[in-house]
């Protein structure tokens, strides 16, 4: 009869750091090896789990982003792989869909929080991730989690170039509030989300643009105009016009709407609101693209959902 061995959390942590395997796998390995660290490492290697940690330093710049929405709340999760081949593997896509579902169910706000959530029975996301790494032979990283919400409203999504249900390389979520019907709001939100993917705005409205960004842009424009020999009043008007154009480039509500460049995004939303007989307010948005290194567009969740 096999003798049960009590395993300390310190031993499990040490084995995990040595091998990169999941917490439950390390605990089981130590219990099966009578608490002997070297035997536990061999046990994990035989199971194909110890090799996962060795892949952790390899660059993972391909992958997919999954989205999930539930009424007034939405979430997107980027999961990276080393190659596009693995990203299009059915097992990878199944894992990505499951992880996004977990993120939605648990209303997670960070990757660290997501990693500790159960994905199947007592198996956590982190353990399932390491098992997938061992199977596919590539480093896989859950890179980031982004959320959007609109209390009393809806969150709509758009996935560009879908490769599976709600999975793609470019996505956007848009949150709207209105007393209009949710179906109408979802349709409008999806159009705006499509615009976000195409135009990549950085801010929701002019008031959300940080003052230091505006000041820096204004200083640069003033310096450019310093040698023009124009009266100061004319220079001020020139700068005002160029700042307005700057907002048109980076602010969602001010951008020309991709489906109708004759109107702004704000104009499109207002126009649709008038037809429905209800005011519609854009309250949140973000766009994501696989492999981005900085400057994801949009705002973050209000934290009240």
């Amino acid at each position: 009869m096999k003798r049960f061995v009590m395993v300390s959390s310190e031993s499990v942590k040490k084995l995990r750091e040595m091998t990169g395997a999941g917490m439950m796998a390390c605990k089981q390995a130590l219990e099966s090896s009578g608490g002997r660290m070297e035997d536990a490492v061999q046990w994990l290697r035989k199971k194909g789990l110890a090799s996962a940690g060795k892949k952790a330093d390899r660059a993972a710049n391909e992958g997919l982003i999954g989205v999930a929405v539930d009424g007034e709340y939405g979430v997107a999760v980027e999961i990276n792989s080393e190659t596009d081949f693995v990203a299009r593997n059915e097992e990878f896509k199944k894992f990505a869909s499951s992880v996004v579902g977990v993120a939605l169910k648990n209303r997670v706000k960070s990757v660290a929080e997501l990693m500790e959530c159960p994905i199947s029975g007592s198996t956590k996301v982190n353990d399932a991730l390491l098992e997938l790494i061992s199977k596919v032979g590539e480093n896989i990283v859950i890179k980031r989690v982004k959320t959007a919400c609109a209390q009393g409203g809806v969150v709509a999504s758009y996935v560009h170039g879908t490769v599976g249900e709600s999975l793609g390389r470019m996505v956007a979520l848009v949150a709207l509030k209105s007393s209009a019907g949710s179906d109408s709001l979802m349709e409008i939100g999806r159009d705006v989300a499509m615009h976000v993917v195409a135009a990549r705005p950085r801010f929701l409205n002019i008031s959300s643009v940080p003052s230091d960004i505006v000041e820096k842009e204004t200083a640069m424009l003033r310096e450019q105009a310093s040698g023009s020999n124009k009266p100061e009043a004319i220079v001020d008007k020139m700068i005002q016009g160029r700042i307005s154009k700057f907002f048109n480039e980076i602010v969602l509500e001010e951008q020309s709407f991709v489906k109708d460049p004759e109107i702004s995004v704000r104009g499109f939303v207002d126009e649709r609101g008038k037809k429905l007989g209800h005011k519609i307010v854009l309250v949140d948005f973000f766009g994501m693209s696989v492999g981005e290194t900085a400057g994801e567009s949009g705002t973050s969740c209000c934290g009240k959902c």
Side-chain angles (χ1 to χ4, degrees):
M1 182 177 178
K2 187 175 179 179
R3 187 170 69 88
F4 180 76
V5 178
M6 291 293 293
V7 176
S8 69
S9 58
E10 289 77 13
S11 296
V12 174
K13 183 180 178 182
K14 182 178 179 181
L15 182 59
R16 189 182 187 190
E17 290 172 350
M18 290 172 61
T19 65
M23 294 288 285
M24 292 302 295
C26 289
K27 185 174 182 292
Q28 187 178 356
L30 286 164
E31 289 174 348
S32 300
S33 306
R36 295 181 296 275
M37 194 65 65
E38 290 185 6
D39 291 345
V41 172
Q42 290 302 317
W43 188 93
L44 288 169
R45 285 178 176 167
K46 287 178 182 178
K47 296 288 185 180
L49 298 175
S51 61
K54 295 179 181 179
K55 300 179 179 72
D57 292 331
R58 302 206 312 229
N61 298 315
E62 296 294 334
L64 295 171
I65 302 171
V67 299
V69 298
D70 181 14
E72 62 186 27
Y73 182 87
V75 62
V77 182
E78 180 179 355
I79 304 176
N80 295 145
S81 59
E82 292 180 50
T83 64
D84 183 59
F85 177 78
V86 163
R88 293 180 181 274
N89 177 281
E90 288 303 318
E91 195 154 5
F92 182 94
K93 289 190 281 187
K94 182 180 178 181
F95 173 76
S97 294
S98 297
V99 168
V100 176
V102 170
L104 181 70
K105 178 182 177 181
N106 293 277
R107 296 294 197 266
V108 300
K109 298 293 192 298
S110 68
V111 173
E113 189 180 349
L114 177 59
M115 288 293 206
E116 295 302 315
C117 292
I119 190 170
S120 177
S122 60
T123 302
K124 294 181 179 180
V125 170
N126 184 60
D127 298 314
L129 173 64
L130 289 167
E131 288 178 12
L132 180 61
I133 292 172
S134 296
K135 286 181 181 179
V136 303
E138 281 192 12
N139 187 26
I140 298 172
V141 177
I142 299 179
K143 181 180 178 181
R144 54 181 166 158
V145 174
K146 293 268 286 181
T147 61
C149 62
Q151 284 190 311
V154 302
V155 173
S157 65
Y158 174 73
V159 180
H160 181 71
T162 56
V163 296
E165 187 175 356
S166 299
L167 296 172
R169 290 183 58 85
M170 298 178 70
V171 308
L173 265 66
V174 171
L176 311 93
K177 282 186 179 181
S178 176
S179 55
S182 60
D183 289 344
S184 297
L185 281 182
M186 288 293 285
E187 181 184 345
I188 296 166
R190 188 179 185 278
D191 281 343
V192 176
M194 187 185 300
H195 170 94
V196 170
V197 167
R200 304 299 291 172
R202 293 170 57 193
F203 305 99
L204 177 65
N205 48 42
I206 291 176
S207 63
S208 67
V209 182
S211 58
D212 61 321
I213 290 179
V214 179
E215 290 166 4
K216 183 178 179 181
E217 185 70 15
T218 302
M220 183 192 72
L221 292 172
R222 189 169 295 281
E223 184 177 347
Q224 289 176 350
S226 62
S228 64
N229 294 322
K230 290 183 171 65
E232 187 173 342
I234 299 296
V235 170
D236 288 342
K237 286 185 178 180
M238 288 171 55
I239 291 174
Q240 187 177 357
R242 289 175 184 175
I243 285 294
S244 178
K245 184 179 179 182
F246 176 66
F247 287 144
N248 291 344
E249 293 172 352
I250 67 171
V251 173
L252 173 60
E253 288 190 348
E254 304 300 315
Q255 289 181 329
S256 295
F257 184 47
V258 292
K259 281 192 167 185
D260 184 0
E262 296 299 315
I263 60 174
S264 66
V265 171
R266 183 177 56 193
F268 162 72
V269 173
D270 288 347
E271 185 180 274
R272 291 298 302 271
K274 286 179 182 178
K275 288 182 179 180
L276 294 170
H278 298 274
K279 181 177 176 60
I280 300 172
V281 180
L282 291 172
V283 296
D284 198 5
F285 87 97
F286 65 80
M288 290 171 63
S289 181
V290 169
E292 284 177 327
T293 56
E296 308 112 55
S297 63
T299 56
S300 59
C301 179
C302 63
K304 297 178 181 178
C305 293

